[in-house]
Amino acid sequence: MDIYPYLNPSSRVRARKGRLFDEKQISEIVETNNIEEVENYLRGIPEYADVLDEYPLDKALDVERANTYDFVARLAPKEIKDPFVVMSKKSDIDNIKSLLTAKEVGLSADETKDLLIPSGSLYEDLESLVDAENVTDIVTSLDGTEYAAALEDALPQYEDTKMILPLESALDKYYLGKLLRSTDVPADENRQILYSYVGTQVDVANLKLIIRAKEDGLDYDAISPYILEEGYQLREWKLKDLMESPDVTNVVSGLEGTKYAEALTDAMPVYNETGSVAVFEKALDTYTSEYSKSLASKKPLGIGPIIGYLSQKENEIKNLKIIARAKREADFPNSKIMEMLI
Amino acid sequence: MADIALGTALAAIGAGVAIGFAGLGSGLGQGMAAAGSVGAVAEDNDMFARGIIFSALPETQAIYGFLVAILLLVFSGLLGGGKGLPTEAGIVAIGVGAAIGFAGLGSGMGQGMAAASSVGAIVEDNDMFARGIIFSALPETQAIYGFLIAILLMVFGGILA
């Protein structure tokens, strides 16, 4: 009887999953000659046509992603709804970050407004903050929202350094913590799968942060405030070990015995050759995608199709953004774009 | 109250079990298939006809149960005014009802799950229709076994004689 609440949502997400781009369509988009052709191609797809009628490409993709989170949060059965509701608030966090960035670099009100994604429960409030004087004003104006405490804790650090990184990291940490806590009672198989899915995202976010920090030569004290210590497979003690590693190579070797080791070890030769930590980020994204696919097949009349759809839709949008960015650069080789795709 | 032989009263229990449990399985199965189909139609209007087909599949178990129940009621004398069944035949009638009732329960639920899953597969990939029908038809066999045994019990147990 526990399958009943999943039957309707499963069919709905599978219908949308069937409309996602297959490899042939992605190749066709990569083969386009310029950004206008990419847009024209997407206008032939009903989901993207609607958002492209209203917004420029990048914003349209952000709106489509926010719509996807909203859709899944709306139809998810009650017992698994919480984490998807948290995910649907990601556009609020992205909008706050955009506001902070806009104020930091001194964008005008109109330019700032263009950056905001028209989605999330705070959109209208945030839209009214485009005229705020400075970063501190934005933070104090958010008093009373769920993000206030996290931002106010990081505000002194911003005022010391005049860099918004501590504020952005505080928001990311708040989001990941809330996401992890929303699934921390894995009472049945559906919730266990959800916990693995969400937990892997938290671990991957922590790992990306540690790897990038180590590339910049930061030590434990500099990294630890931004890390969510509650990780999933990478618990507090393991994260501490990784943060204390002297360099990226040691971080990767320190992951031995965890499920992330193989993906990162395989990327090591390319890192040694190029010196870019982007290879590890791509390896982690690919790992997350493959892992989500494996979770999606576990409960076909349960949470499986929901995770499968969400994960593949996220990848599709990430890939479209990669293609769009590449098409804006003159003579960017298509073969290179294909390599960059998840 | 009408004067009913013990055998006839037992046959009435058999009839109740036949349609009760077969109907339960059929209803649960049809509910699952219909829930999946509604989701599919909400995303793709063209799925309506195929959704109806898959939602109708688990109906058969209730039809088998209904048919067996009617036969029991008629041949036990409860409908049609016969002279009634002996007690031994009445006990056989309970077996008749159990055969199709429980087989229909399992078959209906199984078919509902397979049908709901098939609808999801078809709305994702149109080419899955034929394969979906085959997989959804498989759990029908248990109901057919139950129906066959119920008929054999009625024939050789002195009810349809």
Side-chain angles (χ1 to χ4, degrees), chain A residues 2 71 144 226 247 299 323 333:
Chain A
D2 62 338
F71 169 72
Y226 307 122
D247 54 30
K299 223 31 185 151
I323 295 170

Side-chain angles (χ1 to χ4, degrees), chain A residues 16 22 52 58 60 63-65 105 109 174 181 197-198 237 250 256 271 296 303 314 320-321 326-327:
Chain A
R16 293 193 179 206
D22 56 24
L52 279 167
D58 282 310
V63 173
E64 177 59 17
R65 186 174 51 193
V105 300
Y174 171 80
R181 282 190 293 278
Y197 173 66
V198 164
W237 65 271
N250 279 281
E256 205 176 303
Y271 169 70
I303 195 171
E314 281 174 338
L320 289 174
K321 285 191 159 196
K327 291 292 168 191

Side-chain angles (χ1 to χ4, degrees), chain A residues 80-99:
Chain A
I80 58 159
K81 195 181 266 297
D82 289 352
F84 296 113
V85 171
V86 174
M87 286 180 201
S88 73
K89 290 181 178 176
K90 204 169 186 309
S91 46
D92 280 337
I93 292 179
D94 289 341
N95 280 339
I96 297 173
K97 283 185 183 177
S98 297
L99 270 178

